[in-house]
Amino acid sequence: MPSEDVESRGEKIRESNNNSSVAYAVEDRETQWTSWLIPVFVVANVAVFVVEMYVNNCPKHVKNRDFIPGDDRKCVARFLGRFSFQPLRENPLFGPSSSTLEKLGALNWTKVVHQHQEWRLVSCMWLHAGIIHLLANMLSLIFIGIRLEQHFGFVRIGIIYLLSGFGGSILSSLFIQNHISVGASGALFGLLGAMLSELITNWTIYTNKIAALLTLLVIVAINLAVGILPHVDNFAHIGGFLTGFLLGFVLLPHPQFGWMERRNLPEGVHVKSKYKAYQYVLWVVSLILLVAGFTVGLVMVFRGVNGYDRCHWCRYLSCVPTSRWKCDET
């Protein structure tokens, strides 16, 4: 009987906290963390992009290209001087050249595997191909990351962000071996994956369960669908999402209501454990899959394995050929 009273009390509080917010309908914590890590990440990404444009120095690099027609050698926004953008024919995202990105740490399979530049698996997530690429990612990071950090703290969200970006780089290296790759998209998809697994593992505390689940699934599906367009590294998206999804089960489970209120409960009321049985199961399975995935992935990358040799249909996860465009299958 006491345990039934605890649960009924929890249900009453949950109902009274009915909230229309999709991501977090119920929050039992008394206080929220102040978000500072996500803003720091945003500032860091913007600062790195400024460095990219400074190093790129478009006017200096295009003026001697005699083999290119004059109109195609003109930098965009030339009033910015050395911070002006590469010609749109070369980079339609308003950014630096691919050689500059590669110089500063873009993910390049050859350099990672054969020149032992493993640091590119991390550095690539701080680079962006252009200002459009940067703005899209940073707005998404602010919208998703700040709310997550307020609810779960900078340590857990920082771990999810960084490890998801790393996981995205690993999967990208297995399949994208003839092009460079940059961007924080893998880390952002990791945050989306963590939101989904957090919803699942904390299912009982939500009031609008189905609405929250469907909304998240639609958002993820739309973003992954965009990844099948040419020149978009969808493998970084998928790798980051899977990493964040598993990390969410490990880092974001919510304790049972009775355990959190154990000090305020009358004597004789016994709370068996901090988490429910299914949360422990998800925690163990996810941790095993994470360790196994990172280990196998890194071993395959440094052995020079081509992912397409093991999964021929996987090419359609990154690009689907249509009458309007073709996919580079090499």
Side-chain angles (χ1 to χ4, degrees):
M1 290 298 294
S3 60
E4 294 178 357
D5 292 337
V6 172
E7 293 302 321
S8 62
R9 178 183 174 188
E11 290 299 329
K12 290 178 181 178
I13 293 180
R14 290 167 192 153
E15 291 299 327
S16 67
N17 284 316
N18 188 12
N19 192 326
S20 60
S21 174
V22 171
Y24 297 99
V26 175
E27 178 55 48
D28 288 328
R29 292 189 180 91
E30 295 180 357
T31 59
Q32 290 186 340
W33 280 276
T34 299
S35 176
W36 63 267
L37 184 63
I38 294 300
V40 166
F41 282 163
V42 172
V43 172
N45 278 278
V46 172
V48 170
F49 183 74
V50 173
V51 172
E52 288 177 35
M53 299 311 304
Y54 180 84
V55 172
N56 186 67
N57 195 2
C58 178
K60 178 180 179 180
H61 286 94
V62 302
K63 69 178 181 180
N64 296 324
R65 295 182 177 181
D66 297 331
F67 58 91
I68 298 178
D71 290 340
D72 291 340
R73 287 189 283 124
K74 292 182 180 179
C75 299
V76 179
R78 286 179 289 175
F79 63 91
L80 295 175
R82 69 181 298 151
F83 292 97
S84 57
F85 310 116
Q86 290 296 115
L88 292 181
R89 182 180 294 271
E90 182 178 348
N91 188 342
L93 296 177
F94 297 95
S97 65
S98 58
S99 60
T100 297
L101 292 171
E102 187 172 345
K103 177 181 178 181
L104 293 177
L107 184 60
N108 182 304
W109 179 82
T110 301
K111 293 183 181 296
V112 170
V113 176
H114 298 295
Q115 299 182 21
H116 305 292
Q117 297 182 10
E118 298 87 355
W119 50 272
R120 290 180 179 270
L121 293 169
V122 176
S123 62
C124 66
M125 61 185 288
W126 301 99
L127 300 171
H128 286 84
I131 194 167
I132 295 177
H133 188 201
L134 176 70
L135 288 175
N137 278 348
M138 293 304 100
L139 289 175
S140 299
L141 179 57
I142 292 172
F143 180 74
I144 299 171
I146 288 181
R147 190 69 184 273
L148 281 171
E149 186 181 355
Q150 287 175 342
H151 284 80
F152 298 104
F154 72 94
V155 174
R156 286 181 282 183
I157 299 307
I159 291 173
I160 292 172
Y161 182 89
L162 295 174
L163 286 184
S164 296
F166 185 58
S169 296
I170 293 175
L171 191 63
S172 178
S173 297
L174 289 173
F175 292 95
I176 309 298
Q177 300 187 352
N178 297 301
H179 305 283
I180 64 172
S181 178
V182 295
S185 300
L188 289 172
F189 269 81
L191 295 180
L192 280 175
M195 288 178 66
L196 181 58
S197 57
E198 188 272 331
L199 172 61
I200 295 173
T201 193
N202 300 323
W203 185 256
T204 58
I205 73 171
Y206 282 84
T207 54
N208 299 319
K209 300 178 176 64
I210 302 301
L213 178 62
L214 290 178
T215 301
L216 272 176
L217 289 177
V218 169
I219 292 173
V220 172
I222 291 175
N223 281 276
L224 289 176
V226 172
I228 65 176
L229 297 174
H231 310 300
V232 179
D233 184 2
N234 210 26
F235 289 110
H237 299 171
I238 296 171
F241 177 81
L242 292 176
T243 302
F245 183 70
L246 294 174
L247 282 170
F249 289 123
V250 175
L251 298 176
L252 306 182
H254 198 285
Q256 294 190 65
F257 177 81
W259 185 89
M260 296 194 319
E261 293 291 318
R262 63 194 182 281
R263 295 181 180 178
N264 299 325
L265 296 177
E267 295 184 5
V269 176
H270 177 66
V271 179
K272 294 182 179 180
S273 63
K274 183 177 181 179
Y275 300 107
K276 295 186 177 181
Y278 77 89
Q279 291 177 308
Y280 283 112
V281 172
L282 290 172
W283 189 92
V284 172
V285 172
S286 298
L287 186 61
I288 293 174
L289 291 176
L290 275 170
V291 174
F294 274 110
T295 302
V296 173
L298 287 171
V299 169
M300 292 177 67
V301 166
F302 293 120
R303 285 186 176 180
V305 175
N306 188 327
Y308 291 129
D309 294 337
R310 307 293 180 88
C311 179
H312 298 289
W313 60 268
C314 286
R315 66 185 72 254
Y316 298 113
L317 293 176
S318 185
C319 181
V320 177
T322 69
S323 59
R324 293 182 177 273
W325 64 72
K326 295 181 180 180
C327 299
D328 182 5
E329 299 183 352
T330 59

